[in-house]
Amino acid sequence: MRVFVRAIAPALLAATVLVAGGCVWKTPMSSVVAGSDYNRAILHVYTIVTWVTVVIALVVFLALAYVLARYRERPGAVASTTPGLPALEIAWTIVPALVLLVIAIPSIQIAFRTQGKPRPGSLEVTVIARQWWWEFRYTGLDVVTANELHVPAGRPVLLKLEGPDVIHSFWAPPMGGKRDVVPGRLNQMSFTPEVPGEYWGQCAEYCGASHAHMGLRVFVDTPDAFDRWVAAQRAPAAEPQGAAAEGKTIFAGSACVGCHTIKGVSGGILGPDLTHFGSRTTFAAAMFPTRADMLTAWIKNAPALKPGVKMPALGLSDDQARAVAAYLVTLK
Ligand code: CUA
């Protein structure tokens, strides 16, 4: 006991403080900060579970303390010969079942409510999960983008989840729970974003070498900002000047065009649509910030930066890669 108090207890305390110090409540990927009605509903279940757990812990610890004090070993004490208390045993079987029921009812309600029929006036987006990036196709808006989903606050959103390769899982915690993207099956997720802001997400189903590098961003815009974003995405690709114009020529004459679309320049569909690449804050599924130097390294040798990536090393010179990067970042 003395060893524990002197040596181990302070070490445990220090470890607890350090670990707890790493907890931050409000982060872009926090599941305990609600950015949508879906996540608010999940937090409601969290609250129920937390309070139920607190009550159970109190009851168990008080009962334990009572038994330890009341029946501790004393001189002359005789071991109990009570054969059992059927009423108590029935009670502690039924009560946990009831507790599970109390948690199950709202959980099942939320699961059904967020994947059923689309709500009236929904913004519909097809989410295509691929190894290892996300494509977002806005129904009826002629907008296609990658890895960064923009949605307006206050309007219901319906995500239709599709995948051509393996199982992925769409997960942006402040927007709601995980939902699997299963090839050959249409899963849906409906929610209403409520709080404008930038939220982070991540593929939540192991899907191969770069599963860990399959991040995403959700931008909840005010309705006006969203309309402006849609208008900008629908506009033709910007016409570059200077070094960027040279980059466009190199791009158009390279293998890039086989996989990427830039409206008016190329029509490939294997990789992300780059028509408004420069309007995104990150690239390579949220792995890197959209900066010309990062992009130059990526264009030169993507496989060196992201394991398993389908984009090959293109064999461009440093100057060529720099020019293509300069072109792409101008595509706002
Ligand atoms: Cu996609 Cu993990």
Side-chain angles (χ1 to χ4, degrees), residues 129-134 165-170 181 202-208 210-214:
R130 304 166 191 267
Q131 286 171 315
W132 290 273
W133 59 283
W134 306 88
D165 43 46
V166 301
I167 299 176
H168 304 267
S169 187
F170 182 90
V181 186
Q202 167 66 38
C203 177
E205 180 71 47
Y206 180 70
C207 55
S210 272
H211 158 70
H213 303 304
M214 192 168 165

Side-chain angles (χ1 to χ4, degrees), residues 92-115:
W92 72 48
T93 306
I94 290 177
V95 169
L98 289 177
V99 169
L100 291 180
L101 197 65
V102 165
I103 297 168
I105 290 171
S107 304
I108 292 169
Q109 278 178 336
I110 295 167
F112 277 95
R113 200 182 333 128
T114 57
Q115 62 191 330

